Amino acid sequence: MSSLSVIQHLTQRLHQENIRYCHWKSNEHVDAAVEGKTDLDVLVDRNKKAELQQVLSEVGFKYFEAIPCRKYVDIEDYLALDRETGTLVHFHLHYVLELGEKQLKGYHLPWEELLLSTRLYDYEHEIYVANPNIEILLLMVRATLKVRLRDRLKRLTGHNYFKGDFIREFYWLKDRIDVDQVRQLSEELLGPAAAKLVLNILNQESYLKQLLRTGNPIQTALEPYRRYHPLVSRWLRWSREFENLVYKVLRKYFDAPVTTRRTPVNGGIVVAILGADGSGKSTVISEVKKCLSQKLDVLPVYLGSGDGTASWFRAPLVWATRGSKTRQRKKHKAAAADPQLKTNDSDALPKKSKSKLANLFQWLWATSLVYEKQGKLKQSFQAKERGIIVIADRYPQSQILGFNDGPLLSSHDGYKSPFPESLQKWEFESYQHMAEKTPPDLVIKLNVTPEVALTRKPESPAEGVRKKVAAVQSLQFPAQTTVVTIDATQPLDDVLVQAKWAIWENL
């Protein structure tokens, strides 16, 4: 796979504007970086900051703010969506060389000019990369500064700290260096004692374990480049780690609308994805979430009443209906297998039972659903205010009664509702308020023909599918909501790219 078009466009513009840059680390897999599989870690001449920001904007990159406990001085995050493939690209922009422990990066190495002035052009990937003689030295420096007490303790138990990506990069770079130049650079940048350790490591891999030792020559040589006193560094690192952990726990186990990664500078967005059975809605939602959550905070919200997550007070009602649904599915399968058992479309639709018990159940279901949707919408808009991208599966509406996420108790389909008018009015106004007062920022309609939908979901009742297809197409939204209609009969890859792009353009 060649470089993504958005990356090609970016590097071409950087060359045209004479903005010096280089991909300064992990060039062993720079091919993955230009394909959007890993971050683009790029050092740029800070004197060209204004010009660079202009180029990034024109190419399609957007700035995203990292949360405080993951933010570093002079390191910025720009993201772009490749128009052709729908791949999310992370341009990890470095104006200075900030290195060090995870969660802190407490060292600033003033080697930026050296890296930029000695960079090499990679003709295969059409991008400037760091000189391997400097990159292998940086690899050792990075490894030294990342070592923690826990890593030294693990070594005592036989844990090998130097493995995987580090070893692969080490040998890749070792095959491309000039040892004399590395020795000279080491002496100039780190001093004779550190240079000796560097050469020992190049000659014999077993010397790598010396990087784990406190006060090794490389670590000593880097002391002048500390940003903070060691005690301050430890406190800052621990506090940032704790804050990051708290946010992750709140998000994962309590569904709290807190940010854990990066947020758009213009705030979050609520996106509703609508589509009938067979439109590919579930797949689109899953893939969009997977793509965006690689780098951003994404909150999926289910606003329907089917197989998605239910509130604690509606859960007992869901359990009670599962047995009934199982029996219905068996009936439909039997009808499909035996033509004599097939029912007509009207038989496939749920009956309007008039028993008091059925009415009581419907009232409980509809009432709990209103409160559940209100609670989820409240959480969604809190998340939006904090910069989270909310992906809603379905959305409340008051235009179509009786189904498709609309009011359930009101009179519809030519039958008189058994419920009091006051109750019908309360439910209708609740849905109306949710739809009109808290509308989504973006609606993506996945339009599909009934014939295609039934081909994809042959077990679905034909009349029900036709009604849902028509309902999705007919729904209207307030003026402040952007509505994007996608032909869901297209190949899935094309649908996914269009859905991702619709969201990206509205961030």
Side-chain angles (χ1 to χ4, degrees):
M1 180 179 176
S2 60
S3 301
L4 295 176
S5 60
V6 69
I7 296 178
Q8 291 179 356
H9 191 191
L10 172 62
T11 54
Q12 289 169 4
R13 287 298 314 279
L14 293 175
H15 302 159
Q16 292 170 4
E17 300 296 327
N18 294 317
I19 298 175
R20 292 189 304 163
Y21 74 93
C22 77
H23 192 268
W24 68 276
K25 67 175 183 178
S26 302
N27 285 304
E28 175 269 335
H29 53 269
V30 70
D31 54 341
V34 298
E35 291 170 8
K37 297 176 181 177
T38 61
D39 298 350
L40 280 165
D41 286 289
V42 178
L43 176 70
V44 182
D45 184 355
R46 67 184 310 165
N47 295 320
K48 293 282 189 175
K49 188 172 183 177
E51 294 92 329
L52 173 64
Q53 291 177 343
Q54 180 66 28
V55 167
L56 288 169
S57 176
E58 292 174 358
V59 172
F61 281 83
K62 299 182 181 183
Y63 173 70
F64 288 80
E65 186 83 21
I67 62 174
C69 63
R70 299 186 65 168
K71 190 174 183 180
Y72 305 110
V73 181
D74 292 320
I75 298 179
E76 297 179 349
D77 296 286
Y78 283 85
L79 301 177
L81 190 74
D82 185 64
R83 189 67 177 90
E84 295 178 3
T85 65
T87 301
L88 191 64
V89 177
H90 182 196
F91 188 75
H92 206 198
L93 173 60
H94 301 249
Y95 288 114
V96 300
L97 282 180
E98 286 186 292
L99 308 174
E101 317 93 311
K102 187 178 180 180
Q103 305 291 355
L104 184 62
K105 298 191 184 300
Y107 292 78
H108 170 213
L109 275 60
W111 300 352
E112 296 89 0
E113 182 58 32
L114 175 64
L115 267 168
L116 292 173
S117 63
T118 59
R119 62 184 181 155
L120 302 174
Y121 189 68
D122 183 333
Y123 286 92
E124 179 182 357
H125 302 106
E126 300 178 322
I127 189 172
Y128 279 100
V129 298
N131 186 308
N133 298 310
I134 302 173
E135 188 178 351
I136 198 167
L137 185 59
L138 279 170
L139 182 65
M140 297 183 205
V141 166
R142 288 164 51 210
T144 299
L145 297 181
K146 285 181 178 179
V147 173
R148 306 279 296 276
L149 175 61
R150 67 189 68 166
D151 300 315
R152 298 187 178 100
L153 293 176
K154 286 180 181 179
R155 176 176 171 268
L156 297 177
T157 63
H159 178 79
N160 185 9
Y161 179 77
F162 299 103
K163 58 183 180 180
D165 291 344
F166 177 91
I167 289 296
R168 189 171 60 251
E169 286 185 41
F170 177 78
Y171 281 113
W172 184 86
L173 288 167
K174 190 176 176 180
D175 290 339
R176 289 161 174 78
I177 62 170
D178 182 316
V179 175
D180 288 336
Q181 289 190 31
V182 174
R183 176 188 55 77
Q184 183 179 350
L185 283 167
S186 302
E187 290 178 348
E188 292 176 358
L189 299 174
L190 299 172
K196 182 179 179 181
L197 176 56
V198 169
L199 292 177
N200 286 339
I201 292 171
L202 292 177
N203 291 327
Q204 192 171 340
E205 182 188 326
S206 60
Y207 277 93
L208 279 169
K209 62 185 179 183
Q210 294 192 21
L211 298 181
L212 290 168
R213 295 179 180 174
T214 304
N216 70 65
I218 294 179
Q219 186 181 52
T220 301
L222 296 172
E223 283 300 310
Y225 304 127
R226 274 188 176 275
R227 286 185 179 272
Y228 318 100
H229 185 277
L231 292 178
V232 176
S233 293
R234 185 171 286 107
W235 167 253
L236 288 174
R237 186 175 64 246
W238 287 352
S239 61
R240 287 164 69 100
E241 282 185 348
F242 179 74
E243 184 180 357
N244 191 41
L245 177 63
V246 168
Y247 289 158
K248 287 183 176 179
V249 169
L250 288 173
R251 184 68 180 276
K252 183 175 182 179
Y253 297 104
F254 299 95
D255 290 327
V258 296
T259 53
T260 61
R261 313 198 76 176
R262 303 168 186 86
T263 59
V265 292
N266 295 326
I269 183 175
V270 176
V271 182
I273 300 182
L274 311 180
D277 294 342
S279 65
K281 176 168 62 71
S282 297
T283 302
V284 170
I285 291 172
S286 176
E287 290 299 317
V288 166
K289 175 183 176 294
K290 180 180 177 181
C291 171
L292 297 178
S293 61
Q294 295 176 67
K295 300 297 175 182
L296 304 173
D297 286 297
V298 178
L299 178 66
V301 178
Y302 180 71
L303 290 171
S305 60
D307 297 329
T309 56
S311 57
W312 65 266
F313 47 82
R314 193 171 65 90
L317 301 176
V318 174
W319 298 334
T321 61
R322 284 179 179 172
S324 175
K325 287 185 177 180
T326 299
R327 290 191 295 271
Q328 286 181 3
R329 281 194 291 267
K330 289 181 179 179
K331 180 180 178 182
H332 291 315
K333 287 181 180 179
D338 188 347
Q340 294 183 353
L341 296 178
K342 281 190 176 181
T343 59
N344 57 37
D345 287 335
S346 61
D347 293 332
L349 295 174
K351 301 286 186 181
K352 306 291 191 306
S353 174
K354 297 183 179 180
S355 70
K356 292 182 178 180
L357 182 61
N359 288 339
L360 174 63
F361 186 90
Q362 187 177 359
W363 169 70
L364 290 172
W365 180 272
T367 302
S368 63
L369 203 55
V370 168
Y371 287 117
E372 178 179 295
K373 290 177 187 287
Q374 289 174 338
K376 288 183 176 180
L377 281 179
K378 181 179 179 181
Q379 180 194 46
S380 297
F381 281 87
Q382 286 177 344
K384 172 192 171 180
E385 291 301 315
R386 295 173 184 177
I388 296 174
I389 300 170
V390 180
I391 307 294
D393 181 350
R394 304 168 177 265
Y395 211 83
Q397 54 84 20
S398 60
Q399 300 166 43
I400 304 171
L401 306 180
F403 86 119
N404 210 56
D405 308 305
L408 302 176
L409 303 180
S410 302
S411 301
H412 59 275
D413 287 352
Y415 84 99
K416 179 176 175 58
S417 173
F419 303 100
E421 289 188 8
S422 59
L423 185 59
Q424 296 179 51
K425 181 180 179 182
W426 168 82
E427 185 199 33
F428 179 83
E429 290 179 348
S430 296
Y431 274 88
Q432 189 176 50
H433 185 274
M434 288 187 281
E436 297 179 3
K437 301 301 181 181
T438 56
D441 301 291
L442 170 67
V443 169
I444 297 177
K445 289 186 178 182
L446 301 176
N447 279 356
V448 66
T449 63
E451 294 74 21
V452 171
L454 287 168
T455 300
R456 295 173 178 175
K457 295 278 188 178
E459 70 278 9
S460 301
E463 182 61 27
V465 169
R466 283 191 283 270
K467 288 181 64 177
K468 289 182 179 180
V469 167
V472 170
Q473 294 175 352
S474 67
L475 286 176
Q476 301 294 316
F477 293 88
Q480 64 265 38
T481 297
T482 301
V483 179
V484 175
T485 300
I486 297 175
D487 179 4
T489 62
Q490 302 176 89
L492 177 60
D493 287 345
D494 294 341
V495 174
L496 288 174
V497 169
Q498 291 176 45
K500 292 175 186 177
W501 191 254
I503 297 172
W504 185 254
E505 285 190 312
N506 284 274
L507 286 178

